[in-house]
Amino acid sequence: MRNWPLTGLRVTTPRLELRLPSLNDLDQLADRAAEGVHDQGTMPFIVPWSDAEPQERARRTIQYHFSLWGAWTPAEWTCAFAVVFEGEVVGTQAIAATDFAVTREVTSGSWLGRRFHGRGIGTEMRAAVLHLAFEGLGARCATSGAFADNHASLAVSRKFGYADDGVQIHNRQGEPVTTLRLRLAREDWAGGLGVKIHGLEPCLPLFGAASTSPDR
């Protein structure tokens, strides 16, 4: 789309393609949500959207992505990609920023269909958006966070060299839980091996990232 160039943005890794989801991609992503994204009895999300019946999880997934598109501005955006593995949408990986033109800081979040856990996909899709942030957009820093008992998410962050950045207490379904905040500076990023970005140039104004930025 000429007036929404984000539809042409792709980030590829040796096994994955990340793209802004089409309607068909959203349908597949909703199916993954309906199938389940984490073990029963656990809740890795601050907003417990997955604590619902399968069909409701599917609808919430689609509505959430629609809301992100409608709310996008260069001053505040969330770019939530569909993650495609072997021709199938398996989850979503997002990066987000507020006042990126000034802060040059992004944060990330993701989920992966439960039946695709344990294959290294989560690590590879994080590598993709870190490459987009640092190499494509000229970010100075990337942040992340996870509940202290979300060992899988924290392990992914540690692999990339994120440093501790404090703690925060959240309300998780009526109980206090500790969130560990993490931060990765550009100078500590090792680079995205085998990651390629396609179609970024026309999207840069929507990210608040000018192509003439000295950080790119």
Side-chain angles (χ1 to χ4, degrees), residues 42-46 147-150 170-177:
T42 66
M43 177 47 66
F45 308 120
I46 293 175
F147 294 142
D149 57 6
N150 189 345
H170 282 105
N171 176 350
R172 180 170 67 180
Q173 297 178 301
E175 297 291 337
V177 62

Side-chain angles (χ1 to χ4, degrees), residues 32 36-38 45 83 90-92 110-122 125:
R32 299 295 85 75
V37 300
H38 55 76
F45 308 120
V83 178
V90 298
T92 181
S110 66
W111 61 259
L112 185 65
R114 184 169 52 190
R115 62 187 172 93
F116 296 96
H117 291 191
R119 306 191 198 183
I121 296 172
M125 60 201 224

Side-chain angles (χ1 to χ4, degrees), residues 86-106:
E86 295 183 346
E88 186 174 9
V89 174
V90 298
T92 181
Q93 173 71 63
I95 57 169
T98 300
D99 295 324
F100 181 78
V102 176
T103 67
R104 294 287 171 178
E105 180 176 289
V106 301

Side-chain angles (χ1 to χ4, degrees), residues 130 155-164 182-185 188-189:
L130 287 175
V156 170
S157 296
R158 300 299 187 196
K159 287 179 183 178
F160 290 104
Y162 283 76
D164 292 334
L182 302 164
R183 179 176 295 269
L184 177 64
D188 296 325
W189 173 63

Side-chain angles (χ1 to χ4, degrees), residues 20-136:
L20 203 72
S22 66
L23 294 182
N24 182 62
D25 290 338
L26 279 182
D27 230 11
Q28 291 188 54
L29 190 62
D31 289 341
R32 299 295 85 75
E35 292 166 4
V37 300
H38 55 76
D39 293 337
Q40 291 186 353
T42 66
M43 177 47 66
F45 308 120
I46 293 175
V47 177
W49 65 271
S50 57
D51 185 17
E53 293 300 314
Q55 192 57 49
E56 180 63 20
R57 292 199 298 268
R59 284 195 296 268
R60 288 180 183 179
T61 297
I62 293 173
Q63 289 177 305
Y64 174 69
H65 283 264
F66 286 166
S67 73
L68 296 181
W69 301 345
W72 189 304
T73 70
E76 187 168 4
W77 48 263
T78 297
C79 184
F81 292 107
V83 178
V84 182
F85 171 67
E86 295 183 346
E88 186 174 9
V89 174
V90 298
T92 181
Q93 173 71 63
I95 57 169
T98 300
D99 295 324
F100 181 78
V102 176
T103 67
R104 294 287 171 178
E105 180 176 289
V106 301
T107 190
S108 65
S110 66
W111 61 259
L112 185 65
R114 184 169 52 190
R115 62 187 172 93
F116 296 96
H117 291 191
R119 306 191 198 183
I121 296 172
T123 299
E124 199 164 323
M125 60 201 224
R126 179 86 69 90
V129 291
L130 287 175
H131 187 87
L132 172 62
F134 289 126
E135 186 65 27

